[in-house]
Amino acid sequence: MTIKLSILGSTGSIGENTLRVADNLGQKFDITYLTANRNSDKLIAQAKKYTPKAVAIIDEKAGKKVSSALQDNIEVLTGREGLLELAGRDDVDIVMNGLVGSAGMEPTLRSIEAGVNVALSNKESLVMAGSIIETAKKKSGAALFPVDSEHSAIWQCLAGEKIADVRKIILTGSGGPFRTREIYTFKDITPEEALHHPNWNMGNKITIDSATMMNKGLEVIETRWLFGLLADEIDIVIHPQSIIHSMIEFVDKSVKAQLGVPDMKIPIQYALTYPRRSSANWEELDLIKSGQLTFEEPDLEKFPCIKLAYEALRAGGSTPAVLNVANEQAVYRFLDGEIKFTEIPAIIEKACANHHYISEPTLEDLLALELWATEFVNAYN
Ligand code: MG
């Protein structure tokens, strides 16, 4: 039986790795839908190779190019509405959400509401709308399969276990490119320096999030919604080699870890083949070559974003959504050379403190807050 797969964000880093995984799995997968933001050339090439039923591209102008290249063979949808329509189609078995940032939230919700399981790489979905997505999951019966390497590790460690037996979750993080840099030089960090991650090759937004360590903070919030734990039950440990992808401590003090080379194809494939595993020929973990595995406490003075994320999780309601949007906008302003690296957490803190708090935000509330936080951050100077 072939499994019908829809890939949201197919031209990005997660999307391309998902297609490599699909190639590895061969006949088992049928690529039904592909979506892109504006990379028409890559989307056209992918559509010609995988012949999906339909594709969607956000950028209208790029959409014209895709339509004429694919002619009448493949349905082409455009704009945000096109993406949301494909995300909500229920004639697939699984959706891979590899979209970047808050733009991925609504598509996750559409797929879950349509009763389709979602392999979730877009952690921002849960950071912003964890409670709404949880309610939608209960209603439709659809599930979320974690793709983030840490959450895949936790999920794999939980196989055969009971969540009630978990004492705490230990999220590992590489510490990013500035782990050993002197704190007084942080204000001089350039986008170019921040875009150079030591272990993982990823898109720009998540690479900057790794440099500020907001990525780890967002992952703490993601952990809360995926596994139902409290902020106090989620720890962060810095592990610069990125070999252990996360750990679980059980009530009997036994600790389970999942290891592997830092390659997103492994968590992607696990999400797509779950609960089974399929063989793959990519690089294997060589423990002798890896050498020492080391661990450190996270430095909250260098990386205040971690603290902000824990505070947002404890505040709950609309705060994590504001944290997420403010972070995203601050990251883009930093990449554009408009603000300093050290201003990213400062702006986020202001946005969280100044927003109109809502204890149980609806989707409409979240979309309105997204606009508010975007304006707030862009007005800052
Ligand atoms: Mg991760």
Side-chain angles (χ1 to χ4, degrees):
M1 197 192 77
T2 55
I3 294 164
K4 291 196 177 81
L5 170 66
S6 171
I7 306 176
L8 311 181
S10 65
T11 59
S13 171
I14 291 293
E16 288 198 292
N17 274 317
T18 302
L19 288 169
R20 286 183 198 114
V21 168
D23 289 342
N24 176 58
L25 296 170
Q27 300 301 319
K28 289 182 200 140
F29 277 83
D30 175 49
I31 309 293
T32 309
Y33 300 121
L34 297 171
T35 85
N37 194 16
R38 66 171 73 85
N39 193 336
S40 50
D41 291 341
K42 209 183 264 182
L43 184 64
I44 290 164
Q46 289 176 346
K48 285 185 172 165
K49 180 171 174 190
Y50 295 98
T51 59
K53 251 193 192 172
V55 300
I57 185 156
I58 304 272
D59 188 282
E60 304 276 353
K61 213 172 130 201
K64 289 205 179 91
K65 205 173 155 191
V66 176
S67 292
S68 63
L70 300 180
Q71 295 178 347
D72 296 332
N73 304 321
I74 295 167
E75 185 189 2
V76 179
L77 293 90
T78 59
R80 175 103 184 131
E81 273 313 309
L83 165 68
L84 291 175
E85 197 204 310
L86 285 198
R89 289 201 184 170
D90 62 1
D91 57 346
V92 291
D93 300 301
I94 184 164
V95 170
M96 167 62 71
N97 184 343
L99 297 167
V100 176
S102 52
M105 172 187 71
E106 265 188 291
T108 299
L109 199 55
R110 291 281 177 109
S111 302
I112 294 289
E113 283 169 349
V116 177
N117 295 337
V118 178
L120 188 67
S121 166
N122 181 266
K123 66 193 79 180
E124 293 88 346
S125 294
L126 284 173
V127 173
M128 291 185 72
S131 172
I132 295 172
I133 290 170
E134 192 165 85
T135 306
K137 270 169 63 189
K138 279 187 191 135
K139 206 170 157 198
S140 76
L144 288 179
F145 298 155
V147 172
D148 210 348
S149 61
E150 293 77 2
H151 306 78
S152 176
I154 296 162
W155 192 32
Q156 293 182 54
C157 289
L158 275 173
E161 306 284 357
K162 285 199 177 74
I163 196 78
D165 291 336
V166 174
R167 185 164 174 270
K168 69 178 176 193
I169 280 176
I170 304 160
L171 287 177
T172 54
S174 69
F178 307 131
R179 181 176 59 90
T180 59
R181 183 170 170 144
E182 297 282 0
I183 191 167
Y184 68 88
T185 69
F186 269 45
K187 62 182 190 322
D188 306 319
I189 288 170
T190 64
E192 203 184 20
E193 290 171 323
L195 284 171
H196 188 77
H197 194 277
N199 303 342
W200 294 93
N201 183 11
M202 310 171 287
N204 282 358
K205 197 258 171 184
I206 187 170
T207 305
I208 302 298
D209 285 347
S210 299
T212 63
M213 293 207 65
M214 180 56 96
N215 183 51
K216 213 46 60 185
L218 298 179
E219 288 178 353
V220 168
I221 303 174
E222 185 186 9
T223 302
R224 184 262 170 264
W225 290 111
L226 281 172
F227 305 107
L229 284 132
L230 303 171
D232 293 337
E233 297 166 325
I234 307 165
D235 284 355
I236 296 172
V237 167
I238 302 304
H239 165 49
Q241 297 81 18
S242 298
I243 297 297
I244 295 180
H245 297 308
S246 278
M247 298 176 253
I248 293 180
E249 184 186 299
F250 293 94
V251 286
D252 61 0
K253 307 290 161 67
S254 171
V255 177
K256 247 184 174 180
Q258 186 266 341
L259 290 74
V261 290
D263 179 346
M264 285 310 296
K265 291 196 292 301
I266 299 172
I268 289 170
Q269 178 159 309
Y270 187 71
L272 295 186
T273 62
Y274 174 83
R276 301 292 308 277
R277 293 184 187 268
S278 290
S279 63
N281 57 2
W282 35 74
E283 192 196 344
E284 65 199 48
L285 176 61
D286 184 334
L287 281 171
I288 308 299
K289 257 199 227 157
S290 305
Q292 274 199 330
L293 303 184
T294 59
F295 306 94
E296 300 166 12
E297 214 178 325
D299 186 332
L300 300 187
E301 272 189 52
K302 278 186 184 174
F303 305 106
C305 285
I306 296 176
K307 219 174 106 236
L308 294 176
Y310 270 104
E311 282 168 8
L313 175 56
R314 290 193 173 102
S318 51
T319 311
V322 172
L323 171 99
N324 181 66
V325 176
N327 173 60
E328 200 166 309
Q329 293 301 318
V331 165
Y332 291 132
R333 289 199 70 187
F334 168 70
L335 284 172
D336 288 342
E338 294 173 5
I339 61 168
K340 289 190 174 121
F341 187 79
T342 44
E343 287 178 294
I344 297 174
I347 298 174
I348 297 166
E349 188 169 12
K350 280 204 179 79
C352 289
N354 281 293
H355 91 282
H356 175 73
Y357 179 83
I358 304 169
S359 58
E360 283 176 48
T362 62
L363 179 63
E364 288 67 35
D365 293 331
L366 293 179
L367 295 173
L369 276 169
E370 186 178 353
L371 285 178
W372 176 87
T374 301
E375 276 173 29
F376 183 89
V377 173
N378 286 289
Y380 173 95
N381 53 56

